[in-house]
Amino acid sequence: MTNALLPGVDADARRMVATRAIRSLGDGFASVALAAYLSERGFNAFEIGALVTVALFGKSVATLIAGFVVDRFGRRRTLMAGSLLVSASGVAFALAEPYWLLLVVAFVGTMSPSAGDFSLFQPVEQAALATTTETARRTWVYARYTLFGSLAFALGSLASGAAGPVADITGVELATTLRWAFALYGLTGIAMLATYRPLSPAVELETSDTAPRGRLRESRGTVFRLSGLFAIDAFGGGLAVQAVMAVWLFERFGISIEEAAVIFFAARLLSTFSLLLAPPITARIGIIETMAYAHLPANIALMVAPLMPTLPLVLVALFVRQALSPIDIAPRTTLIVSVVSPEERAPAASVTNVVRTLSAAASPALGGALLAVGPWGLPLLVGGALKAGYDAALLVVFRRIQLRD
């Protein structure tokens, strides 16, 4: 199947794209099932939020470690070991009883508390895809890599809804059904292991024995500057996450939950398929230009949305934003692996991904506080302004940067 969907792509790259889809399917299922399971167990909102925070911090640590040790331990071996950890995480969540043990499993395990693909696999796969893909095809491959993961995550989230009907049919309590459903999540680890196992030595870093591995050396300043800009972009995006926008729409226009679900489902589809626009635009105008010029109109649309007087006009602005904003994802990954040496790709990917994720996680609380000021959509205005500033800074700082093969 991947041969038809990824024509002309190296077999190792196809396997990693397929495994991203398998992993995202499990993450989509777990992200919904985990919250429902904890609620059914009687944990309050604070306890659930604390567990999500611990899980996010644990994944940050794992991602950083993976980026800096993978080329010493081996990319294929790291991916296979991570697959076993996925299976262990599912089993552990199914069996863990006390809250403190759930916290330990959340920190050490791989279950995703968010919609993004944030895990130890990400920097390893991004570096390996750069190794196995021709320079001119990287953005194309990264776009498909993200696209398949996004679609699989949506399917996994949808599949989690089967837990309720299964509980009704079998007469088993929902908490028990969800507990053992985590075993299904564990099975994705076995599927990942089977897909990673045939990876060839071509995915490994080819360098001399004396070359440093797992370190940022000559490109450290570049990576830190990129991370700083990405932090601004992610923080601005966190101010206008889906939950904040939903609350704003509820308060300003009084829409129902069912209407909100339809709106955000349509927005998700626009975001997913707009990923396919990145490769042809990048080939025509360049990586930095695609990131900034596609992103800037999206952020202007985000700032304009609160100024619109009616719900239809607001939705037009938000849909424009959703359609244009993801175009920068694949070029951004290409940029990260193309401004550093091959030895620095995995560490650079881990550092930039962790910085983006933690920055995005830090801002929703501020978004909620700004929303409490009034119905004027201040989180959207401030978030859009920060992200537009990121676009301008990206052009100024990196427009003439030299890319590597």
Side-chain angles (χ1 to χ4, degrees):
M1 181 179 178
T2 53
N3 291 350
L5 296 176
L6 297 170
V9 176
D10 175 88
D12 289 321
R14 290 199 301 270
R15 291 189 183 99
M16 285 183 283
V17 171
T19 312
R20 164 71 191 273
I22 295 171
R23 183 170 71 253
S24 296
L25 187 70
D27 285 343
F29 175 84
S31 66
V32 178
L34 180 59
Y37 171 66
L38 295 173
S39 296
E40 288 293 321
R41 288 279 307 274
F43 296 114
N44 60 40
F46 174 78
E47 291 170 321
I48 295 173
L51 188 140
V52 169
T53 299
V54 168
L56 182 62
F57 183 69
K59 288 165 78 71
S60 299
V61 172
T63 301
L64 275 177
I65 293 174
F68 283 89
V69 307
V70 59
D71 288 324
R72 300 177 187 178
F73 184 67
R75 294 174 179 176
R76 176 176 172 272
R77 284 196 291 177
T78 300
L79 293 171
M80 292 177 66
S83 301
L84 294 175
L85 184 59
V86 169
S87 294
S89 298
V91 173
F93 257 105
L95 299 178
E97 284 290 343
Y99 180 70
W100 68 265
L101 186 55
L102 288 171
L103 289 175
V104 172
V105 175
F107 181 84
V108 178
T110 61
M111 284 193 184
S112 176
S114 65
D117 179 41
F118 178 56
S119 65
L120 64 89
F121 301 97
Q122 190 177 42
V124 181
E125 289 178 340
Q126 289 179 351
L129 284 170
T131 301
T132 59
T133 305
E134 297 176 2
T135 303
R137 298 269 285 172
R138 281 178 188 163
T139 302
W140 190 93
V141 170
Y142 286 134
R144 268 65 182 176
Y145 173 80
T146 306
L147 172 66
F148 293 160
S150 181
L151 290 175
F153 188 94
L155 289 174
S157 300
L158 186 63
S160 66
V166 169
D168 292 338
I169 293 171
T170 60
V172 177
E173 291 184 356
L174 180 58
T176 303
T177 303
L178 289 168
R179 178 195 296 269
W180 292 109
F182 288 126
L184 296 177
Y185 172 84
L187 291 179
T188 63
I190 302 301
M192 290 166 59
L193 180 65
T195 311
Y196 283 136
R197 187 178 177 83
L199 288 175
S200 75
V203 303
E204 306 294 346
L205 174 66
E206 293 184 7
T207 185
S208 64
D209 293 336
T210 58
R213 298 185 179 204
R215 297 175 62 183
L216 290 173
R217 295 173 62 88
E218 58 182 293
S219 303
R220 181 184 302 173
T222 300
V223 172
F224 286 170
R225 287 194 296 274
L226 275 176
S227 297
L229 289 178
F230 291 166
I232 295 172
D233 179 46
F235 188 87
L239 291 174
V241 293
Q242 182 169 301
V244 172
M245 285 196 289
V247 172
W248 177 65
L249 290 172
F250 292 150
E251 292 183 352
R252 181 173 175 185
F253 297 104
I255 67 172
S256 67
I257 295 176
E258 292 80 7
E259 290 170 328
V262 172
I263 289 169
F264 289 117
F265 177 73
R268 180 79 178 188
L269 288 181
L270 283 172
S271 297
T272 298
F273 289 102
S274 67
L275 293 166
L276 299 176
L277 299 176
I281 296 176
T282 300
R284 185 173 181 83
I285 67 174
I287 292 176
I288 298 296
E289 289 79 3
T290 299
M291 293 174 65
Y293 293 149
H295 218 227
L296 187 57
N299 296 325
I300 292 174
L302 182 61
M303 290 187 287
V304 166
L307 307 178
M308 295 292 99
T310 64
L311 179 60
L313 290 176
V314 167
L315 294 182
V316 169
L318 292 180
F319 286 161
V320 168
R321 187 251 178 167
Q322 290 298 118
L324 295 177
S325 184
I327 292 176
D328 82 317
I329 295 177
R332 184 175 67 229
T333 306
T334 301
L335 177 67
I336 293 168
V337 301
S338 300
V339 296
V340 301
S341 65
E343 295 82 7
E344 297 172 301
R345 283 172 179 162
S350 68
V351 168
T352 52
N353 286 324
V354 167
V355 167
R356 280 191 60 85
T357 300
L358 293 182
S359 298
S363 52
L366 176 59
L370 291 173
L371 201 59
V373 174
W376 305 288
L378 285 179
L380 281 65
L381 286 168
V382 176
L386 285 173
K387 291 169 73 65
Y390 153 79
D391 295 326
L394 186 68
L395 280 173
V396 171
V397 177
F398 287 102
R399 189 172 189 176
R400 301 187 184 280
I401 194 169
Q402 185 68 36
L403 302 181
R404 309 185 189 201
D405 291 333

